[in-house]
Amino acid sequence: MTSISGKTRVAGVVGQPIAHSLSPVLHNAWLAEAGLDGVYVPFAVEADSFFRFVDSLRGGSVAGFNVTLPFKAEALAAADSATPRARMAHAANVLVFAADGTIAADNTDGLGVLGAFAVQAPGFDPKAGPVVILGAGGGAQGAAAAFVDAGCPQVRIVNRTEDKALDLADRLGPGARGFTLDQAAEAFADATAVINATSAGLNGGPGLDVPLSATPATCVVMDMVYKPLKTPFLMQAERLGRPTVDGLEMLIRQAIPSFEAFFGQAPPAGVDVRRLALLTLGLDA
Ligand code: NDP
């Protein structure tokens, strides 16, 4: 159990809704294991209050926070500086407050995706072929920027709203291309990975109706959604025999650099945060 003192360093996660977030479970387990005087709490912020909330924390009374749906674009806009990967993604999931009143933004979602692939699909090489990202929102943007950065020869953005797919592909540069959902089979044809970064399938909702059978047999299929852990999308991939990567591993991998940004050191080894998260989700660890 984390103890609270007069010097406790506070970090957290901001979103709406936020009660479902697993991030406090991960960060507080790491804090307890490391014996750090810190705490990580959820902040539920109303949609029209985000900028006011962020401004009120200038000066470092809070070390920083993660940002989740629907505030990732606003988080980037609220910051005074941003890492190249956050600028490229047009979205931030980390804000850090300095004592001089400035705010720095980062985007660790891309590191989360690449880290999850490294753990659950260790043979995967982002340089080996085209990668398809379904969706064009905050999560998709971070992942797309990371794959471009990692030398992926073509990042294909497939989105329900075509304009958003084309805009994101345009921003990513010549190594990216936009598609509509109707064109998914074309985008899948020679893909080395397909990643669901839409919110379809979240909380047991209907999954995306896309023809995963059009992917090559070795194509790795990932879903960013981790509630449920086995989404209809991942179940379809498993039925086809495709290797899969889950959204929980992404959540853990994006949390590692976030923890470093807030608490100044890497999370300690020796705490099985995946097991803790699975137990919190009510799943067998
Ligand atoms: P956004 O709201 O920014 O984007 C949502 C995207 O999903 C849009 O591209 C939207 O398309 C698309 N979409 C929503 N519903 C449907 C549907 N029924 N059919 C087709 N497309 C749909 O959300 P985020 O990018 O922030 O998050 C997306 C998902 O990824 C969420 O479930 C989130 O929990 C998860 N996520 C998980 C992370 C992790 O660490 N595991 C990290 C980040 C995100 P359109 O443009 O047409 O509206």
Side-chain angles (χ1 to χ4, degrees):
M1 178 65 195
T2 309
S3 65
I4 308 289
S5 77
K7 294 189 215 154
T8 298
R9 200 169 168 81
V10 180
V13 57
V14 177
Q16 188 56 255
I18 199 62
H20 69 285
S21 176
L22 285 177
S23 294
V25 173
L26 309 181
H27 285 269
N28 287 314
W30 282 327
L31 285 167
E33 177 75 10
L36 288 176
D37 187 4
V39 67
Y40 184 100
V41 292
F43 295 105
V45 173
E46 291 307 318
D48 57 357
S49 312
F50 183 76
F51 287 106
R52 213 170 342 121
F53 177 73
V54 172
D55 260 345
S56 73
L57 299 177
R58 282 184 188 272
S61 51
V62 163
F65 52 72
N66 286 116
V67 182
T68 185
L69 211 132
F71 298 126
K72 288 184 182 179
E74 286 90 338
L76 183 68
D80 303 298
S81 66
T83 56
R85 60 189 177 217
R87 283 201 303 272
M88 193 172 181
H90 278 213
N93 72 325
V94 176
L95 290 182
V96 173
F97 296 88
D100 67 2
T102 57
I103 305 172
D106 194 6
N107 190 315
T108 63
D109 278 342
L111 293 178
V113 174
L114 294 176
F117 271 73
V119 172
Q120 295 189 338
F124 175 80
D125 175 5
K127 295 192 183 74
V131 167
V132 177
I133 298 178
L134 300 164
Q141 292 171 46
F147 277 102
V148 169
D149 221 30
C152 179
Q154 188 173 61
V155 176
R156 298 174 179 167
I157 309 296
V158 178
N159 195 46
R160 179 176 64 179
T161 307
E162 184 178 15
D163 284 357
K164 288 195 200 163
L166 298 178
D167 283 355
L168 176 54
D170 209 37
R171 279 209 311 274
L172 292 166
R177 208 185 134 188
F179 295 77
T180 62
L181 271 180
D182 291 343
Q183 296 167 318
E186 185 193 336
F188 288 171
D190 54 348
T192 55
V194 172
I195 300 162
N196 177 32
T198 75
S199 30
L202 186 64
N203 291 327
L208 265 190
D209 184 19
V210 286
L212 277 179
S213 54
T215 58
T218 53
C219 179
V220 181
V221 176
M222 177 189 178
D223 202 331
M224 286 193 188
V225 174
Y226 59 83
K227 219 172 182 179
L229 187 63
K230 260 199 195 164
T231 59
F233 187 70
L234 287 188
M235 286 195 276
Q236 188 192 348
E238 281 183 3
R239 279 194 299 274
L240 290 163
R242 305 290 185 268
T244 60
V245 173
D246 65 49
L248 179 56
E249 201 57 39
M250 173 183 175
L251 183 80
I252 293 167
R253 300 290 139 191
Q254 65 76 34
I256 293 171
S258 304
F259 184 94
E260 288 188 48
F262 304 143
F263 300 110
Q265 63 184 70
V271 46
D272 188 347
V273 286
R274 186 174 170 91
R275 184 169 171 276
L276 282 176
L278 288 172
L279 290 172
T280 307
L281 289 172
L283 298 169
D284 283 341

